[in-house]
Amino acid sequence: RQMAGVLRFAAVLMLFALFGAAPALAGNSQVFVDPPNDNEGGFGFASDITSIEAVSADNGDVTFRITLVDPPARMVTGDELDVFLDVDSNTQTGNSLGFDVLLQARGADGAAPSFFFCRVLSDRTMCETGIAGFASDRQTATSTHVVEFNLEQSNRTVYRFAVLSQYTGPSGTVY
């Protein structure tokens, strides 16, 4: 990403977690905290994941809220945030790590990010644009924003998931 003539790098951060959705329990929520300023050793200035909140509702809906810190407090061109889900608890399906679903946000300068729901197969990933209400990116404080993904009526009892934040520079280099 370019800002004031300085190329800024975003970190690649992957967190693996197991989240029990337990739809029968009201307000089931779990927060995973990541130390601040650990993107590119603190020199990245962008897309630093500071927390991930996973919430389930009584009806089985699941929400993932990822808090990011970066100076524009929004996703810009080159930013990508991926939430990988293992929805069938079978490491033999999906990609090489067993993830079957990808929730993705891609930044855009001067516009809202694009949000995608993807099915991950062993040989390809098939994505479609998320429907209204599927995802959002909202500023919550100076240099802080939250990307939220909502899954309706998923009725899963446990999710294994990983979150990846990355930035692709103008030359195509991924950071």
Side-chain angles (χ1 to χ4, degrees), residues 1-171:
R1 146 176 2 166
Q2 294 265 347
M3 183 172 194
V6 177
L7 181 61
R8 297 173 29 209
F9 305 98
V12 175
L13 168 70
M14 189 167 282
L15 298 174
F16 289 96
L18 190 62
F19 169 64
L25 300 175
N28 189 23
S29 174
Q30 192 162 356
V31 176
F32 304 88
V33 178
D34 185 55
N37 301 316
D38 65 348
N39 57 328
E40 295 295 320
F43 301 108
F45 301 113
S47 300
D48 184 20
I49 296 172
T50 58
S51 71
I52 300 164
E53 180 181 18
V55 180
S56 68
D58 287 342
N59 66 356
D61 292 355
V62 175
T63 299
F64 290 93
R65 292 184 190 102
I66 299 92
T67 302
L68 302 164
V69 175
D70 56 61
R74 62 184 176 81
M75 295 188 73
V76 298
T77 300
D79 283 340
E80 183 176 312
L81 181 67
D82 299 322
V83 178
F84 294 92
L85 302 174
D86 177 4
V87 297
D88 63 3
S89 297
N90 182 349
T91 58
Q92 302 304 306
T93 60
N95 68 12
S96 63
L97 298 174
F99 294 111
D100 317 288
V101 171
L102 168 62
L103 312 176
Q104 187 176 74
R106 294 183 203 152
D109 290 331
S114 297
F115 300 104
F116 300 93
F117 179 88
C118 308
R119 299 209 183 276
V120 181
L121 306 174
S122 60
D123 62 342
R124 67 187 179 285
T125 300
M126 300 178 301
C127 297
E128 57 190 58
T129 302
I131 61 172
F134 165 66
S136 65
D137 182 16
R138 63 183 166 78
Q139 183 175 353
T140 57
T142 302
S143 299
T144 304
H145 58 117
V146 174
V147 174
E148 181 175 293
F149 293 99
N150 301 295
L151 298 174
E152 294 182 4
Q153 302 276 335
S154 54
N155 292 319
R156 304 281 183 218
T157 57
V158 175
Y159 282 97
R160 186 173 62 92
F161 68 94
V163 177
L164 172 67
S165 176
Q166 62 186 3
Y167 172 73
T168 303
S171 68

